Amino acid sequence: MTTTAHPRFAEALTALGIDAEVRAFPEATRTAAEAAAAIGCELGQIVKSLIFAADGVPVLVLMDGASRVDVAAVGRELGAARVTRADAAVVRETTGYAIGGVPPFGHRTRTRVLADRSLLAHDTVWAAAGTPHTVFPMAPGELVRHAGATVADVREHVGADAGEPVRERPAQPPQPSEG
């Protein structure tokens, strides 16, 4: 393992007995697309570590880089009435890391973790190593285990034709045609 990871994350790797190859980039990789381009992998192999508030309680959602989180699905999974994206202060307070560098484990506080099932479609995924310019590879099953995550379906499902998220809508009565 290199020493380019955030010190708290490097300690977590050591405590878990993980010898990960942490890669550093000269430029920050704050978006999943930037990270995928820098690594040379598919966008879906990037792990986004996102903090939400479920009824005011922080929760970490691990999502593949090509997808978006469906907050309603997170709410259903957790039995929460309201799920919102956490602001930068809550992210740093909860995890100890800044947005753009949040790793999937090694956080300041213990939080509930959901991992979207889409991550399991890959042999290797890449996640932040505590800074916006460091990443590490891991098999997704190991990542889920080390994060203490529950595997769930919490990504937005996009319609094949329209490119829009599929949302349940009440049936609309037929509209009279104008003639």
Side-chain angles (χ1 to χ4, degrees), residues 73-164:
V74 171
R76 286 189 300 275
E77 184 68 31
L78 299 175
R82 179 176 157 91
V83 177
T84 58
R85 189 82 179 255
D87 66 25
V90 170
V91 171
R92 186 174 290 276
E93 180 183 318
T94 301
T95 68
Y97 305 97
I99 291 173
V102 176
F105 51 86
H107 298 171
R108 175 180 288 156
T109 60
R110 185 104 170 109
T111 58
R112 180 121 185 237
V113 183
L114 298 177
D116 188 72
R117 188 172 313 282
S118 61
L119 292 171
L120 301 177
H122 304 283
D123 292 332
T124 301
V125 293
W126 293 82
T131 73
H133 58 272
T134 56
V135 294
F136 72 100
M138 186 169 274
E142 284 184 57
L143 186 92
V144 166
R145 184 169 51 84
H146 290 305
T150 298
V151 175
D153 293 310
V154 292
R155 70 183 171 104
E156 282 186 349
H157 293 279
V158 178
D161 296 329
E164 294 294 321

Side-chain angles (χ1 to χ4, degrees), residues 6-7 11 38 58 63 94 96 103 106 136 140 145 159 163 168:
H6 186 284
E11 287 175 18
M63 179 59 62
T94 301
F136 72 100
R145 184 169 51 84
E168 292 183 22

Side-chain angles (χ1 to χ4, degrees), residues 43-44 48 50 63-69 116 118 155-156 158:
L43 185 56
K48 297 188 288 190
L50 306 167
M63 179 59 62
D64 76 83
S67 301
R68 294 175 50 102
V69 174
D116 188 72
S118 61
R155 70 183 171 104
E156 282 186 349
V158 178

